[in-house]
């Protein structure tokens, strides 16, 4: 059963609807959803009808896409009347808007406008319904949405307004389907315009993802189908081995990882399955981005996109974000599309070479991709006005007097990296300066003194026993944990090998307890912006090297992410061993060893 299955609705359309509707409207606009992917573009243009009491919005699903999951939840979020597809075909409307093809769109009783749901029309795909092949497409697979098979019904255009974002698409249309030229309209790209408008908020989007100053955000992106970065049918299935290497080779305080997966991956396999497959990566600090509401914000926040031949990679290039392709298959692309040219020329990831060096080289050598922004939209910032003009012209209705405006990209919720996998920590101490690198593995070329830092909520409790530093995050007044002094004492009592217990109380502070140092408060200075757990590991290394906190406090300079982070260490309680600590049980107990081994 599809998301729009069910009995016909009776309000605001249907049998006797005039009897039950509170307001009469002169125009009906039907949003036609094929899957969640195409629905994203419809959400972009929905604000163009805001505040117009003349228009009643309706929504339906063609149920023609293989990807039906997620549509029901999307409809519930929209809160618009949902018509079963059969009722939608039988209901007269002034305008139907779709962002894909499929289903009996030619049978809709009203004008039809179709937008691309990607960066123009780029993919090759044959219409499975078409039994008669157009002679112009017999020698090659037609371009989805830009060929006779998709655009014509009985030799005539089935669409009344085909939205194109750039004249190059019009040129291709003229060559392969001149019959549709008369219904085409150049109206820019509303998705790109929302990103352009959101660029001034890049730092806010970065902070929402927990990206700290000096950190580089690497966004992993994959389109759907087997040849994509996330797929198994390309030249090589690199993802399972690449993910742990990214977490191991990219220091946690220098790099932040996030993944944007195509909605057809997300809903095709199921969000729960995606989380299961990426569990280790998530525990190592990878954040999964909402593929409908937050992917553009993540893209704007990115320093590097590690992607493939999908539209997001091209949007990134258009926004002047460096792109490294992990999959560069071109078989799915129209060779004349700008995206295909970009894929042919973009730098490639060597999945077996050192990852950090490749990313740093990409950043150092990056130059804007010629033509990417130009070919994304011929009317940047103007799509709202152009699209509303088209829609209202098709409805034969005067436009509202207010300006046509798109919705600004919302600020996502604060989501710092969920890092609970054990961390291999390397440090080098020079006086009060401590260089630190943390990762979930030990890179082959890593240098420095090592120790093990483990989150209390680690999946593997056995890793807590050998941990030198144990940490967690929480509110200082959380009744479940007790206050930081209680929790740190409990941890040192439970784990005799642990030398430092760390309770992170906020984005810039933590409380720590050492066996011979009492409770200390670590507070970041104005120029500092790193994970407080990293400050605690730096303190561990400094104390292990013979450092001593002065009674009035000490300032350490922690070096991470190419920055110096001043951190003040202040005594809270006098040096004392926690009650019943194994370290106090006698000379033969494990805790009687030096608390800060070299």
């Amino acid at each position: 059963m599809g998301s729009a299955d069910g009995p016909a609705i009776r309000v605001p359309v249907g049998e006797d609807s005039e009897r039950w509707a509170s307001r009469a409207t002169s125009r009906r606009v039907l949003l036609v959803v094929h899957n969640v992917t195409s629905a994203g573009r419809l959400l972009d243009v929905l604000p163009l009808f805001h505040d117009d009491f003349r228009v009643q919005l309706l929504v339906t699903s063609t149920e023609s896409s293989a990807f039906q999951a997620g549509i029901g939840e999307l409809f519930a979020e929209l809160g618009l009347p949902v018509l079963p597809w059969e009722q939608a075909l039988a209901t007269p409307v002034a305008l139907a808007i779709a962002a894909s093809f499929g289903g009996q769109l030619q049978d809709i009783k009203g004008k039809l406008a179709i937008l691309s749901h990607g960066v123009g029309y780029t993919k090759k795909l044959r219409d499975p319904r078409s039994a008669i092949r157009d002679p112009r497409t017999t020698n090659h697979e037609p371009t989805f949405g830009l060929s006779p098979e998709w655009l014509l019904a009985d030799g005539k255009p089935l669409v009344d307004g085909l939205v194109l974002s750039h004249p190059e698409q019009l040129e291709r249309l003229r060559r392969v389907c001149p019959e549709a030229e008369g219904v085409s309209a150049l109206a820019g790209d509303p998705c790109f315009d929302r990103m352009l408008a959101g660029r001034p908020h890049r730092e806010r989007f970065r902070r929402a993802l927990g990206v700290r100053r000096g950190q580089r955000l690497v966004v992993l992106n994959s389109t759907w189908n087997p040849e994509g970065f996330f797929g198994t049918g390309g030249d090589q299935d690199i993802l399972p081995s690449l993910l742990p290497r990214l977490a191991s080779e990219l220091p946690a305080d220098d790099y932040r990882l996030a993944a944007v997966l195509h909605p057809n991956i997300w809903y095709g396999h199921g969000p729960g399955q995606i989380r299961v497959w990426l569990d280790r990566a998530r525990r190592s600090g990878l954040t999964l981005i909402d593929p409908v509401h937050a992917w553009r914000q993540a893209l704007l926040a990115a320093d590097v996109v590690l992607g493939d031949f999908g539209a997001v990679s091209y949007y990134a290039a258009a926004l002047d974000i460096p792109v490294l392709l992990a999959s560069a298959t071109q078989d799915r692309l129209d060779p004349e599309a700008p995206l295909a040219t970009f894929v042919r020329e973009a730098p490639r990831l060597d999945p077996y070479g050192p990852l950090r060096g490749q990313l740093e080289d990409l950043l150092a050598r990056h130059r804007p991709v010629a033509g990417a922004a130009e070919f994304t939209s011929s009317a940047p910032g103007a799509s709202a006005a152009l699209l509303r003009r088209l829609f209202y012209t098709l409805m034969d209705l005067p436009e509202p007097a207010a300006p046509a405006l798109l919705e600004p990209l919302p600020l996502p919720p604060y989501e710092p990296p969920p890092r609970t996998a054990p961390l291999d920590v390397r440090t080098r101490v020079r006086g009060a300066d401590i260089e630190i690198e943390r990762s979930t593995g030990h890179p082959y070329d890593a240098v420095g003194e090592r120790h093990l830092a483990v989150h209390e909520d680690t999946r593997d409790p056995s890793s807590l026993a050998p941990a030198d530093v144990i940490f967690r995050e929480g509110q200082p007044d959380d009744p479940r944990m007790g206050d930081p002094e209680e929790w740190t004492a409990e941890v040192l009592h439970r784990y005799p090998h642990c030398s430092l217990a760390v309770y992170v109380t906020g984005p810039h502070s933590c409380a720590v307890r050492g066996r011979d140092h009492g409770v200390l408060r670590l507070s970041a200075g104005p120029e500092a912006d790193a994970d407080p757990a990293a400050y605690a590991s730096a303190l561990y290394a400094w104390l292990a090297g013979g450092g001593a906190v002065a009674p009035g406090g000490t300032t350490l300079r922690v070096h991470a992410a190419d920055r110096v982070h001043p951190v003040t260490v202040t005594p809270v309680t006098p040096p004392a061993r926690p009650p019943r600590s194994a370290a106090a049980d006698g000379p033969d107990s494990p805790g009687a060893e030096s608390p800060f081994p070299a």
Side-chain angles (χ1 to χ4, degrees):
M1 300 287 285
S3 300
D5 280 335
I9 67 172
R10 296 177 61 188
V11 185
V13 297
E15 185 178 356
D16 295 329
S17 61
E18 297 84 359
R19 177 184 178 187
W20 308 110
S22 295
R23 291 191 63 87
T25 55
S26 63
R27 300 293 189 276
R28 298 167 180 165
V29 173
L30 178 67
L31 304 179
V32 182
V33 172
H34 292 77
N35 49 40
V36 172
T37 305
S38 66
R41 192 54 54 92
L42 299 180
L43 295 178
D44 286 334
V45 302
L46 186 62
L48 300 181
F49 301 99
H50 282 182
D51 299 314
D52 193 339
F53 285 86
R54 301 169 298 173
V55 174
Q56 171 67 58
L57 295 175
L58 308 166
V59 65
T60 189
S61 170
T62 64
E63 303 176 11
S64 59
S65 171
F67 301 97
Q68 291 297 296
I71 294 178
E73 294 88 335
L74 182 70
F75 283 174
E77 180 182 333
L78 282 174
L80 296 173
V82 179
L83 275 66
W85 182 234
E86 293 302 321
Q87 184 183 12
L89 291 178
T91 301
V93 296
L95 176 65
I97 306 174
S100 189
F101 293 80
Q104 299 84 30
L105 296 180
Q106 68 273 13
D107 295 334
I108 289 175
K109 298 184 183 304
K111 297 294 182 66
L112 174 64
I114 296 184
L115 302 86
S116 164
H117 59 259
V119 57
Y121 296 91
T122 60
K123 299 289 179 67
K124 293 190 297 184
L125 184 66
R126 188 172 296 281
D127 183 353
R129 303 166 305 167
S130 179
I132 301 176
R133 305 304 181 194
D134 191 282
R136 290 163 292 188
T137 62
T138 53
N139 295 326
H140 66 278
E141 196 169 16
T143 300
F144 177 67
L146 209 67
S147 67
E149 285 187 311
W150 292 105
L151 292 173
L152 303 182
D154 298 325
K156 297 180 180 180
L158 62 87
V159 60
D160 300 285
L162 178 66
V163 177
L164 308 176
S165 60
H166 193 276
E168 72 82 18
Q169 296 159 28
L170 180 59
E171 293 174 6
R172 283 189 282 146
L173 180 67
R174 286 170 176 156
R175 288 196 296 271
V176 299
C177 189
E179 299 92 333
E181 180 182 353
V183 299
S184 64
L186 287 169
D189 184 328
C191 175
F192 188 55
D193 280 358
R194 293 183 73 192
M195 287 190 279
L196 291 177
R199 292 177 96 172
H201 306 303
R202 167 180 161 83
E203 289 304 320
R204 295 180 188 174
F205 298 148
R206 288 172 68 82
R207 288 195 294 270
L209 284 168
V211 180
R212 296 178 179 271
R213 282 177 287 178
Q215 271 191 316
R216 291 165 170 170
L217 173 62
V218 180
V219 171
L220 282 62
N221 167 253
S222 178
T223 189
W224 72 280
N225 72 51
E227 288 77 27
F229 183 15
F230 195 84
T232 56
D235 296 334
Q236 48 199 346
D237 184 11
I238 65 172
L239 192 67
S241 61
L242 186 65
L243 286 171
R245 287 187 55 216
L246 285 167
S248 173
E249 296 184 28
L250 302 183
D253 300 300
D254 293 55
Y255 290 88
R256 175 84 169 90
L257 299 176
V260 171
L261 302 179
H262 193 286
N264 288 355
I265 298 174
W266 188 260
Y267 291 105
H269 292 283
Q273 179 63 69
I274 300 301
R275 287 189 285 267
V276 167
W277 277 332
L278 299 181
D279 178 71
R280 179 170 59 169
R282 291 168 59 227
R283 288 185 283 113
S284 299
L286 176 75
T287 293
L288 296 178
I289 303 298
D290 182 324
V292 176
H293 299 294
W295 70 267
R296 284 168 282 213
Q297 296 90 317
L299 193 62
L300 288 170
D303 293 287
V304 176
V305 168
L306 187 55
D308 57 18
F309 54 90
V312 173
S313 295
Y314 197 76
Y315 275 131
L319 293 166
D320 196 22
I321 299 167
V323 178
L324 196 61
L325 296 186
S327 173
T329 301
Q330 299 179 47
D331 296 344
R332 301 266 181 172
L333 301 178
D334 180 341
E336 296 182 348
L339 175 59
T341 302
F342 166 75
V343 170
R344 286 192 294 269
E345 298 175 355
R348 304 285 198 272
L349 173 75
D350 176 1
Y352 307 108
L355 300 175
R356 185 177 183 180
Q358 292 184 68
L359 293 177
E360 291 179 348
D361 184 64
L362 176 72
L363 287 163
R365 296 173 177 268
H366 173 67
R367 298 292 183 273
V369 176
E374 174 192 350
F375 285 118
T376 299
S377 173
S378 60
S383 67
L386 294 170
L387 286 169
R388 194 177 74 173
R389 185 182 308 156
L390 171 66
F391 294 158
Y392 276 77
T393 298
L394 290 174
M395 288 193 293
D396 191 23
L397 189 67
E399 287 189 66
L405 300 171
L406 303 175
E407 199 73 34
L409 295 176
L411 184 63
Y414 177 60
E415 193 170 7
R419 188 172 287 111
T420 60
L423 291 168
D424 181 274
V425 185
R426 287 86 60 188
T427 57
R428 287 186 287 185
V429 179
R430 296 179 179 86
D433 290 272
I434 305 100
E435 298 178 14
I436 185 169
E437 282 191 353
R438 303 183 304 157
S439 61
T440 56
H442 187 71
Y444 67 92
D445 58 348
V447 296
E449 295 296 317
R450 297 175 62 187
H451 68 264
L452 179 65
V454 182
H455 196 286
E456 188 185 32
D457 292 338
T458 179
R459 175 69 64 83
D460 181 9
S462 66
S463 63
L464 291 165
D468 303 292
V469 175
I470 296 176
F471 64 97
R472 75 165 303 112
E473 306 86 10
Q475 296 298 317
D477 57 352
D478 189 336
R480 299 170 300 173
M481 302 295 157
D483 62 36
E485 294 184 26
E486 293 176 292
W487 180 85
T488 53
E490 176 189 337
V491 166
L492 291 187
H493 172 66
R494 181 177 294 122
Y495 301 104
H497 181 80
C498 178
S499 295
L500 208 64
V502 183
Y503 194 100
V504 177
T505 55
H508 304 291
S509 62
C510 62
V512 307
R513 184 191 289 271
R515 294 194 181 275
D516 291 323
H517 301 273
V519 177
L520 305 169
R521 168 73 58 186
L522 274 64
S523 302
E527 299 302 317
D529 190 18
D531 183 353
Y535 301 152
S537 274
L539 173 65
Y540 168 89
W542 182 71
L543 293 172
V549 179
T554 298
T555 297
L556 302 179
R557 293 180 294 275
V558 180
H559 296 249
D562 293 327
R563 296 177 64 90
V564 178
H565 306 266
V567 180
T568 300
V569 185
T570 307
V572 177
T573 65
R577 297 178 187 272
R580 296 183 56 79
S581 167
D585 288 344
D588 297 327
S589 69
E593 300 171 2
S594 170
F596 297 103

